[in-house]
Amino acid sequence: MARLLVALPPSEGKQIGGRGAWEPSAGRFGATLGPARIEVADRLGAFARRAGAATLASFFGVGGAHLDRAVESARSGLVGTPVLPALDRYTGVVWEHLALGDASAATRRWAARNVVVVSGLLGVVAAGDPVPDYRLKMAARLPGIGPLAPWWKTRIAAALSEHARGATVVDLLPKEHAVAFDSDATGRAPIVVRFQAATGAHAAGHAAKAAKGVLARALVEARAEDPATVCRTASVPGFRWADEQMTAAGGQLVTMRASGKEH
């Protein structure tokens, strides 16, 4: 039975606070990605300490208290700052609808090991791994590094090859993160999921993010309750989304139509 990984994006919204101290080498992929995480954190800190207010606002894409928090976090260097598990740190639409806070202990344990997040700061991190409070888009360009996505791609591939060899990836990533994530590095064809509206157009925005979170929750629960669950089928147990169509492409092409009330 192949191991399964569910790949999700991070969120710009993050829970404040935490405990302990961030070590870049911590977590499932830290042994491989620790040095790269330190380099990104150092470059981000140097940039945040040097750049002017207008440049920082444009870079982080926020203003007011959100900008103050992003700049303070970046200037700290991040190493040694308080952490929360990724599944508690991220609070955006996908994670709100994944809703692991009310999941069973078994579901939460499975998600902590097998949901992975593609991040501009961390490269790739398991949902149970410690994450500091940070703000850094994968689409950003950092002085001394350049665009983060291509810089991370080979490093993420090395981490997947070393620590997740043989796993099948269900790819729920937006394009910004997918370009950095070479799921073929696990040695198995991925299942790439993209959402379409009833018109056939690519679904985007809040609804698509919400559906992604609901689908991820269904996958996590199905796999946690029955490890033999196979995703390359015409349905995913527990997944309901009103009048939306999901197309999954990977080792084979599968089209799924969900019905029922919107979560």
PDB file of all heavy atoms in Angstrom, residues 219-242:
ATOM      1  N   LEU A 219     -10.267  13.523   2.518  1.00  0.00           N
ATOM      2  CA  LEU A 219      -9.155  12.618   2.231  1.00  0.00           C
ATOM      3  C   LEU A 219      -8.467  12.180   3.513  1.00  0.00           C
ATOM      4  O   LEU A 219      -8.157  11.000   3.699  1.00  0.00           O
ATOM      5  CB  LEU A 219      -8.144  13.314   1.318  1.00  0.00           C
ATOM      6  CG  LEU A 219      -8.533  13.500  -0.144  1.00  0.00           C
ATOM      7  CD1 LEU A 219      -7.556  14.447  -0.831  1.00  0.00           C
ATOM      8  CD2 LEU A 219      -8.565  12.157  -0.863  1.00  0.00           C
ATOM      9  N   VAL A 220      -8.210  13.134   4.397  1.00  0.00           N
ATOM     10  CA  VAL A 220      -7.512  12.841   5.648  1.00  0.00           C
ATOM     11  C   VAL A 220      -8.335  11.884   6.506  1.00  0.00           C
ATOM     12  O   VAL A 220      -7.811  10.912   7.054  1.00  0.00           O
ATOM     13  CB  VAL A 220      -7.204  14.147   6.403  1.00  0.00           C
ATOM     14  CG1 VAL A 220      -6.741  13.858   7.826  1.00  0.00           C
ATOM     15  CG2 VAL A 220      -6.142  14.959   5.659  1.00  0.00           C
ATOM     16  N   GLU A 221      -9.622  12.158   6.631  1.00  0.00           N
ATOM     17  CA  GLU A 221     -10.470  11.290   7.450  1.00  0.00           C
ATOM     18  C   GLU A 221     -10.569   9.886   6.858  1.00  0.00           C
ATOM     19  O   GLU A 221     -10.482   8.889   7.583  1.00  0.00           O
ATOM     20  CB  GLU A 221     -11.864  11.895   7.588  1.00  0.00           C
ATOM     21  CG  GLU A 221     -11.908  13.091   8.525  1.00  0.00           C
ATOM     22  CD  GLU A 221     -13.334  13.551   8.795  1.00  0.00           C
ATOM     23  OE1 GLU A 221     -14.218  13.264   7.966  1.00  0.00           O
ATOM     24  OE2 GLU A 221     -13.542  14.194   9.829  1.00  0.00           O
ATOM     25  N   ALA A 222     -10.730   9.799   5.533  1.00  0.00           N
ATOM     26  CA  ALA A 222     -10.853   8.491   4.890  1.00  0.00           C
ATOM     27  C   ALA A 222      -9.584   7.675   5.085  1.00  0.00           C
ATOM     28  O   ALA A 222      -9.635   6.476   5.390  1.00  0.00           O
ATOM     29  CB  ALA A 222     -11.155   8.665   3.404  1.00  0.00           C
ATOM     30  N   ARG A 223      -8.444   8.325   4.910  1.00  0.00           N
ATOM     31  CA  ARG A 223      -7.177   7.605   5.027  1.00  0.00           C
ATOM     32  C   ARG A 223      -6.884   7.231   6.482  1.00  0.00           C
ATOM     33  O   ARG A 223      -6.358   6.149   6.763  1.00  0.00           O
ATOM     34  CB  ARG A 223      -6.049   8.476   4.468  1.00  0.00           C
ATOM     35  CG  ARG A 223      -4.742   7.740   4.254  1.00  0.00           C
ATOM     36  CD  ARG A 223      -4.826   6.749   3.092  1.00  0.00           C
ATOM     37  NE  ARG A 223      -3.517   6.229   2.773  1.00  0.00           N
ATOM     38  CZ  ARG A 223      -3.214   5.576   1.660  1.00  0.00           C
ATOM     39  NH1 ARG A 223      -4.143   5.375   0.753  1.00  0.00           N
ATOM     40  NH2 ARG A 223      -2.005   5.131   1.440  1.00  0.00           N
ATOM     41  N   ALA A 224      -7.220   8.125   7.417  1.00  0.00           N
ATOM     42  CA  ALA A 224      -6.970   7.837   8.831  1.00  0.00           C
ATOM     43  C   ALA A 224      -7.840   6.680   9.316  1.00  0.00           C
ATOM     44  O   ALA A 224      -7.390   5.837  10.094  1.00  0.00           O
ATOM     45  CB  ALA A 224      -7.237   9.081   9.672  1.00  0.00           C
ATOM     46  N   GLU A 225      -9.082   6.622   8.832  1.00  0.00           N
ATOM     47  CA  GLU A 225     -10.009   5.584   9.276  1.00  0.00           C
ATOM     48  C   GLU A 225      -9.784   4.265   8.546  1.00  0.00           C
ATOM     49  O   GLU A 225      -9.997   3.187   9.095  1.00  0.00           O
ATOM     50  CB  GLU A 225     -11.445   6.062   9.071  1.00  0.00           C
ATOM     51  CG  GLU A 225     -11.815   7.244   9.985  1.00  0.00           C
ATOM     52  CD  GLU A 225     -13.165   7.841   9.644  1.00  0.00           C
ATOM     53  OE1 GLU A 225     -13.888   7.239   8.815  1.00  0.00           O
ATOM     54  OE2 GLU A 225     -13.490   8.903  10.200  1.00  0.00           O
ATOM     55  N   ASP A 226      -9.355   4.353   7.290  1.00  0.00           N
ATOM     56  CA  ASP A 226      -9.125   3.155   6.493  1.00  0.00           C
ATOM     57  C   ASP A 226      -7.862   3.365   5.664  1.00  0.00           C
ATOM     58  O   ASP A 226      -7.912   3.914   4.557  1.00  0.00           O
ATOM     59  CB  ASP A 226     -10.329   2.896   5.569  1.00  0.00           C
ATOM     60  CG  ASP A 226     -10.120   1.677   4.683  1.00  0.00           C
ATOM     61  OD1 ASP A 226      -9.142   0.934   4.910  1.00  0.00           O
ATOM     62  OD2 ASP A 226     -10.929   1.460   3.759  1.00  0.00           O
ATOM     63  N   PRO A 227      -6.691   2.940   6.159  1.00  0.00           N
ATOM     64  CA  PRO A 227      -5.423   3.187   5.468  1.00  0.00           C
ATOM     65  C   PRO A 227      -5.361   2.625   4.059  1.00  0.00           C
ATOM     66  O   PRO A 227      -4.519   3.043   3.268  1.00  0.00           O
ATOM     67  CB  PRO A 227      -4.390   2.508   6.382  1.00  0.00           C
ATOM     68  CG  PRO A 227      -5.035   2.490   7.725  1.00  0.00           C
ATOM     69  CD  PRO A 227      -6.500   2.293   7.455  1.00  0.00           C
ATOM     70  N   ALA A 228      -6.239   1.694   3.717  1.00  0.00           N
ATOM     71  CA  ALA A 228      -6.226   1.114   2.374  1.00  0.00           C
ATOM     72  C   ALA A 228      -7.010   1.940   1.368  1.00  0.00           C
ATOM     73  O   ALA A 228      -7.069   1.598   0.199  1.00  0.00           O
ATOM     74  CB  ALA A 228      -6.781  -0.310   2.415  1.00  0.00           C
ATOM     75  N   THR A 229      -7.628   3.042   1.820  1.00  0.00           N
ATOM     76  CA  THR A 229      -8.399   3.884   0.912  1.00  0.00           C
ATOM     77  C   THR A 229      -7.540   4.309  -0.277  1.00  0.00           C
ATOM     78  O   THR A 229      -6.428   4.799  -0.114  1.00  0.00           O
ATOM     79  CB  THR A 229      -8.901   5.147   1.631  1.00  0.00           C
ATOM     80  OG1 THR A 229      -9.750   4.748   2.705  1.00  0.00           O
ATOM     81  CG2 THR A 229      -9.678   6.049   0.675  1.00  0.00           C
ATOM     82  N   VAL A 230      -8.075   4.126  -1.469  1.00  0.00           N
ATOM     83  CA  VAL A 230      -7.378   4.535  -2.687  1.00  0.00           C
ATOM     84  C   VAL A 230      -8.072   5.768  -3.244  1.00  0.00           C
ATOM     85  O   VAL A 230      -9.299   5.817  -3.330  1.00  0.00           O
ATOM     86  CB  VAL A 230      -7.387   3.402  -3.738  1.00  0.00           C
ATOM     87  CG1 VAL A 230      -6.715   3.853  -5.023  1.00  0.00           C
ATOM     88  CG2 VAL A 230      -6.677   2.173  -3.170  1.00  0.00           C
ATOM     89  N   CYS A 231      -7.294   6.771  -3.630  1.00  0.00           N
ATOM     90  CA  CYS A 231      -7.885   8.028  -4.086  1.00  0.00           C
ATOM     91  C   CYS A 231      -8.186   8.032  -5.576  1.00  0.00           C
ATOM     92  O   CYS A 231      -8.919   8.900  -6.052  1.00  0.00           O
ATOM     93  CB  CYS A 231      -6.950   9.182  -3.754  1.00  0.00           C
ATOM     94  SG  CYS A 231      -6.718   9.369  -1.989  1.00  0.00           S
ATOM     95  N   ARG A 232      -7.631   7.097  -6.325  1.00  0.00           N
ATOM     96  CA  ARG A 232      -7.845   7.112  -7.775  1.00  0.00           C
ATOM     97  C   ARG A 232      -9.172   6.424  -8.112  1.00  0.00           C
ATOM     98  O   ARG A 232      -9.219   5.407  -8.792  1.00  0.00           O
ATOM     99  CB  ARG A 232      -6.687   6.426  -8.486  1.00  0.00           C
ATOM    100  CG  ARG A 232      -5.350   7.092  -8.256  1.00  0.00           C
ATOM    101  CD  ARG A 232      -4.248   6.234  -8.874  1.00  0.00           C
ATOM    102  NE  ARG A 232      -2.947   6.607  -8.366  1.00  0.00           N
ATOM    103  CZ  ARG A 232      -2.186   7.560  -8.864  1.00  0.00           C
ATOM    104  NH1 ARG A 232      -2.601   8.265  -9.884  1.00  0.00           N
ATOM    105  NH2 ARG A 232      -1.009   7.829  -8.342  1.00  0.00           N
ATOM    106  N   THR A 233     -10.238   6.962  -7.568  1.00  0.00           N
ATOM    107  CA  THR A 233     -11.565   6.410  -7.792  1.00  0.00           C
ATOM    108  C   THR A 233     -12.500   7.536  -8.183  1.00  0.00           C
ATOM    109  O   THR A 233     -12.112   8.697  -8.211  1.00  0.00           O
ATOM    110  CB  THR A 233     -12.092   5.722  -6.525  1.00  0.00           C
ATOM    111  OG1 THR A 233     -12.181   6.698  -5.484  1.00  0.00           O
ATOM    112  CG2 THR A 233     -11.185   4.592  -6.082  1.00  0.00           C
ATOM    113  N   ALA A 234     -13.740   7.194  -8.450  1.00  0.00           N
ATOM    114  CA  ALA A 234     -14.684   8.197  -8.920  1.00  0.00           C
ATOM    115  C   ALA A 234     -15.302   9.011  -7.792  1.00  0.00           C
ATOM    116  O   ALA A 234     -16.147   9.856  -8.040  1.00  0.00           O
ATOM    117  CB  ALA A 234     -15.780   7.532  -9.735  1.00  0.00           C
ATOM    118  N   SER A 235     -14.916   8.750  -6.571  1.00  0.00           N
ATOM    119  CA  SER A 235     -15.452   9.536  -5.472  1.00  0.00           C
ATOM    120  C   SER A 235     -14.486   9.498  -4.291  1.00  0.00           C
ATOM    121  O   SER A 235     -13.651   8.613  -4.190  1.00  0.00           O
ATOM    122  CB  SER A 235     -16.815   9.003  -5.029  1.00  0.00           C
ATOM    123  OG  SER A 235     -16.679   7.699  -4.507  1.00  0.00           O
ATOM    124  N   VAL A 236     -14.626  10.465  -3.438  1.00  0.00           N
ATOM    125  CA  VAL A 236     -13.856  10.509  -2.206  1.00  0.00           C
ATOM    126  C   VAL A 236     -14.853  10.461  -1.061  1.00  0.00           C
ATOM    127  O   VAL A 236     -15.736  11.323  -0.978  1.00  0.00           O
ATOM    128  CB  VAL A 236     -13.010  11.796  -2.106  1.00  0.00           C
ATOM    129  CG1 VAL A 236     -12.287  11.848  -0.765  1.00  0.00           C
ATOM    130  CG2 VAL A 236     -12.028  11.861  -3.255  1.00  0.00           C
ATOM    131  N   PRO A 237     -14.771   9.465  -0.185  1.00  0.00           N
ATOM    132  CA  PRO A 237     -15.766   9.360   0.892  1.00  0.00           C
ATOM    133  C   PRO A 237     -15.828  10.648   1.706  1.00  0.00           C
ATOM    134  O   PRO A 237     -14.821  11.206   2.104  1.00  0.00           O
ATOM    135  CB  PRO A 237     -15.220   8.206   1.743  1.00  0.00           C
ATOM    136  CG  PRO A 237     -14.376   7.402   0.810  1.00  0.00           C
ATOM    137  CD  PRO A 237     -13.772   8.401  -0.134  1.00  0.00           C
ATOM    138  N   GLY A 238     -17.049  11.132   1.920  1.00  0.00           N
ATOM    139  CA  GLY A 238     -17.232  12.294   2.773  1.00  0.00           C
ATOM    140  C   GLY A 238     -17.138  13.629   2.074  1.00  0.00           C
ATOM    141  O   GLY A 238     -17.409  14.660   2.681  1.00  0.00           O
ATOM    142  N   PHE A 239     -16.768  13.651   0.788  1.00  0.00           N
ATOM    143  CA  PHE A 239     -16.619  14.927   0.094  1.00  0.00           C
ATOM    144  C   PHE A 239     -17.928  15.353  -0.535  1.00  0.00           C
ATOM    145  O   PHE A 239     -18.509  14.626  -1.334  1.00  0.00           O
ATOM    146  CB  PHE A 239     -15.543  14.846  -0.983  1.00  0.00           C
ATOM    147  CG  PHE A 239     -15.391  16.125  -1.775  1.00  0.00           C
ATOM    148  CD1 PHE A 239     -15.047  17.309  -1.142  1.00  0.00           C
ATOM    149  CD2 PHE A 239     -15.607  16.148  -3.141  1.00  0.00           C
ATOM    150  CE1 PHE A 239     -14.916  18.489  -1.860  1.00  0.00           C
ATOM    151  CE2 PHE A 239     -15.468  17.325  -3.871  1.00  0.00           C
ATOM    152  CZ  PHE A 239     -15.122  18.497  -3.224  1.00  0.00           C
ATOM    153  N   ARG A 240     -18.402  16.531  -0.166  1.00  0.00           N
ATOM    154  CA  ARG A 240     -19.610  17.109  -0.744  1.00  0.00           C
ATOM    155  C   ARG A 240     -19.351  18.571  -1.048  1.00  0.00           C
ATOM    156  O   ARG A 240     -18.830  19.302  -0.222  1.00  0.00           O
ATOM    157  CB  ARG A 240     -20.793  16.998   0.232  1.00  0.00           C
ATOM    158  CG  ARG A 240     -21.190  15.574   0.577  1.00  0.00           C
ATOM    159  CD  ARG A 240     -21.868  14.888  -0.606  1.00  0.00           C
ATOM    160  NE  ARG A 240     -22.317  13.548  -0.268  1.00  0.00           N
ATOM    161  CZ  ARG A 240     -21.560  12.456  -0.356  1.00  0.00           C
ATOM    162  NH1 ARG A 240     -20.312  12.557  -0.779  1.00  0.00           N
ATOM    163  NH2 ARG A 240     -22.051  11.281  -0.038  1.00  0.00           N
ATOM    164  N   TRP A 241     -19.700  18.968  -2.249  1.00  0.00           N
ATOM    165  CA  TRP A 241     -19.577  20.389  -2.598  1.00  0.00           C
ATOM    166  C   TRP A 241     -20.652  20.712  -3.621  1.00  0.00           C
ATOM    167  O   TRP A 241     -20.794  20.009  -4.606  1.00  0.00           O
ATOM    168  CB  TRP A 241     -18.192  20.721  -3.150  1.00  0.00           C
ATOM    169  CG  TRP A 241     -17.973  22.204  -3.218  1.00  0.00           C
ATOM    170  CD1 TRP A 241     -18.019  22.999  -4.321  1.00  0.00           C
ATOM    171  CD2 TRP A 241     -17.714  23.067  -2.117  1.00  0.00           C
ATOM    172  NE1 TRP A 241     -17.797  24.300  -3.979  1.00  0.00           N
ATOM    173  CE2 TRP A 241     -17.603  24.375  -2.628  1.00  0.00           C
ATOM    174  CE3 TRP A 241     -17.565  22.875  -0.742  1.00  0.00           C
ATOM    175  CZ2 TRP A 241     -17.351  25.479  -1.824  1.00  0.00           C
ATOM    176  CZ3 TRP A 241     -17.310  23.969   0.066  1.00  0.00           C
ATOM    177  CH2 TRP A 241     -17.202  25.253  -0.483  1.00  0.00           C
ATOM    178  N   ALA A 242     -21.397  21.768  -3.401  1.00  0.00           N
ATOM    179  CA  ALA A 242     -22.591  22.048  -4.189  1.00  0.00           C
ATOM    180  C   ALA A 242     -22.268  22.370  -5.639  1.00  0.00           C
ATOM    181  O   ALA A 242     -21.620  23.361  -5.935  1.00  0.00           O
ATOM    182  CB  ALA A 242     -23.366  23.204  -3.563  1.00  0.00           C
TER     183      ALA A 242
END
